[in-house]
Amino acid sequence: MTIQPVRLFGDPILRARAAEVTAFDRELQQLVSDLTDTMYDDGGVGMAAPQIGVGLRVFVYDTGDAKGHLINPEWQVDGDEEQVGPEGCLSIPGLRYDTRRALRVRATGVDMRGAPVEFAAEGLLARCVQHETDHLDGVLFIDRLDPAARKDAMRTIRESDWFVAGVTVRASRAVDGAGQAGPFGRNR
């Protein structure tokens, strides 16, 4: 078990597009393991490699109904229904805002050995796929908020006791004002 420090808002790696994975080796397997251990330690339902300082297109997830990892992910919206619900991020501790996402997506990519992976996702899993893929593109959930909510989020971040631009800080068991742990309000 190797738990890594979680990069917080203000760290430049969270705003950079992650590189495609081309080497399916022991280091990649260790990265998937480290991401998983760190996600569980911090009570999350998903975690992307940039959140632990690795600029590769890899994320892990465990929504309770589905768990795994996806490398070089892509997704397509499946239908035109949307969901609006609470979302947060281990890299922005304590913030949760209703965020609009597609209700259903079809995710594709590969696993840590390079084997193709494809699955349909709905609800929380669809939200997780979109959220974690955003991380790999340098996009944070607060970028998806309406202007008023984004302004409020930025004010809250600036006033938080954890925010120091560009500094790596351990985000241990992020808890919001309602006492909910993890990025989507799931307690572990």
Side-chain angles (χ1 to χ4, degrees):
M1 178 195 261
T2 307
I3 298 166
Q4 300 295 324
V6 176
R7 302 294 178 103
L8 299 180
F9 181 88
D11 190 310
I13 196 163
L14 296 175
R15 291 304 193 167
R17 186 178 194 288
E20 298 288 323
V21 172
T22 57
F24 295 86
D25 54 15
R26 194 160 189 67
E27 286 182 31
L28 180 61
Q29 292 173 17
Q30 185 62 53
L31 173 60
V32 170
S33 177
D34 290 354
L35 280 168
T36 303
D37 292 344
T38 304
M39 174 186 69
Y40 286 141
D41 184 64
D42 284 327
V45 298
M47 180 163 277
Q51 291 181 275
I52 63 169
V54 178
L56 291 174
R57 298 187 71 75
V58 179
F59 74 79
V60 299
Y61 59 92
D62 183 349
T63 64
D65 295 325
K67 66 180 176 180
H69 65 276
L70 200 55
I71 297 167
N72 298 334
E74 295 183 14
W75 58 267
Q76 299 291 325
V77 173
D78 186 9
D80 57 1
E81 292 180 89
E82 294 182 329
Q83 59 177 315
V84 176
E87 195 165 320
C89 180
L90 295 173
S91 292
I92 311 174
L95 263 68
R96 286 170 38 95
Y97 285 87
D98 282 347
T99 306
R100 183 176 306 279
R101 299 281 188 178
L103 178 62
R104 286 183 287 282
V105 299
R106 177 152 298 282
T108 59
V110 296
D111 68 14
M112 69 177 104
R113 290 173 178 75
V117 174
E118 182 174 348
F119 59 89
E122 184 172 342
L124 180 58
L125 181 56
R127 179 178 296 281
C128 186
V129 166
Q130 294 167 81
H131 178 105
E132 301 309 332
T133 303
D134 271 356
H135 270 299
L136 304 179
D137 293 332
V139 176
L140 300 173
F141 90 96
I142 60 173
D143 300 331
R144 304 270 182 214
L145 301 176
D146 65 59
R150 187 172 197 293
K151 183 177 179 180
D152 183 63
M154 292 304 297
R155 179 188 48 76
T156 302
I157 289 168
R158 283 189 302 273
E159 293 173 355
S160 70
D161 60 357
W162 58 262
F163 178 65
V164 180
V167 176
T168 301
V169 179
R170 177 105 180 105
S172 298
R173 303 263 177 186
V175 177
D176 71 9
Q180 299 289 315
F184 302 111
R186 181 167 164 225
N187 288 311
R188 289 205 183 254

